[in-house]
Amino acid sequence: MKLVVGLGNPGRTYEHTRHNAGFEAMDAIASLTSASITQKKFKALVDKVQIGKESVLLMKPQTYMNNSGEAVRAAMDFYRLSPQDLLVIYDDLDLPVGKLRLRQKGSAGGHNGIKSIQAHIKSQEFDRIRIGIDKDARIPTVDWVLGKIRKEDAQAYQESIEQAAKAAVFALQHSFADAMNQFNKR
């Protein structure tokens, strides 16, 4: 069993904001796998699917970003998963819009959703797909991440969401190392 988590904030207020890149990637994964991430469980919306040989729980935590670890920990405890069974997809201010970065471990890099997950599972050793949202030094970080994608960035952003979904599915069918080799080139 694998757990794939897309980070974001629930509710209409946050739809299509930069901080919800993970939720948008989960919707793209759902389209690729005919999933419906609507079942309420573990303080999240989930669906269980088969991807290749893997049984996979797709998750969109409903705890708000800063408490994402609560939902992740609950699912990991229920299914007795280790950090190596976890893949998290989220936004990254330090990457330009349209850029993906796949990594197998690392620090939270200031991302509160990742900080929460690391605190709850007591590990940094999990796979992650970071989706670039860039930053604008003139705009406070909180306003930037909770803002909508600019029109001039919309196409690159949408392509990165779709690539993140493809990378996640590819990693589940092959290996995360193979996905890194394939998708980090872009």
Side-chain angles (χ1 to χ4, degrees):
M1 166 73 86
K2 298 288 184 185
L3 173 60
V4 179
V5 180
L7 298 186
N9 286 308
R12 287 201 139 150
T13 303
Y14 301 103
E15 282 181 5
H16 307 295
T17 62
R18 292 177 185 90
H19 223 19
N20 273 27
F23 276 12
E24 291 189 43
M26 295 308 294
D27 292 340
I29 291 170
S31 289
L32 292 172
T33 62
S34 300
S36 176
I37 307 171
T38 56
Q39 180 186 2
K40 293 178 182 177
K41 194 171 185 178
F42 310 120
K43 297 183 181 179
L45 296 177
V46 300
D47 195 11
K48 202 169 173 185
V49 296
Q50 193 74 23
I51 300 176
K53 295 178 183 175
E54 292 288 351
S55 182
V56 181
L57 185 69
L58 303 175
M59 173 184 278
K60 292 165 56 173
Q62 300 295 290
T63 55
Y64 291 94
M65 185 67 75
N66 295 357
N67 296 314
S68 298
E70 293 175 18
V72 172
R73 177 83 261 168
M76 289 179 70
D77 286 349
F78 184 84
Y79 289 107
R80 297 186 182 126
L81 302 176
S82 73
Q84 291 73 35
D85 298 319
L86 175 63
L87 168 59
V88 181
I89 306 171
Y90 61 101
D91 60 289
D92 191 323
L93 286 165
D94 295 323
L95 291 173
V97 173
K99 187 85 171 161
L100 288 186
R101 183 65 62 223
L102 284 69
R103 291 283 180 258
Q104 291 184 295
K105 60 184 176 181
S107 73
H111 194 285
N112 289 332
I114 297 298
K115 285 180 187 176
S116 175
I117 291 170
Q118 290 176 343
H120 279 84
I121 71 169
K122 311 244 183 294
S123 178
Q124 295 182 3
E125 308 276 326
F126 56 88
D127 298 337
R128 60 212 52 206
I129 299 174
R130 297 169 16 220
I131 300 169
I133 61 166
D134 214 347
K135 60 185 162 196
D136 186 329
R138 299 167 297 173
I139 299 173
T141 300
V142 70
D143 294 334
W144 180 258
V145 300
L146 295 178
K148 308 274 186 198
I149 294 295
R150 295 176 180 167
K151 285 182 184 174
E152 62 267 24
D153 293 332
Q155 182 175 345
Y157 176 76
Q158 191 55 46
E159 288 172 4
S160 68
I161 294 295
E162 292 166 13
Q163 285 301 306
K166 289 176 184 173
V169 170
F170 183 91
L172 292 162
Q173 292 171 329
H174 303 280
S175 74
F176 197 77
D178 289 341
M180 288 171 61
N181 288 334
Q182 174 116 358
F183 290 89
N184 274 339
K185 295 176 185 177
R186 301 187 187 301

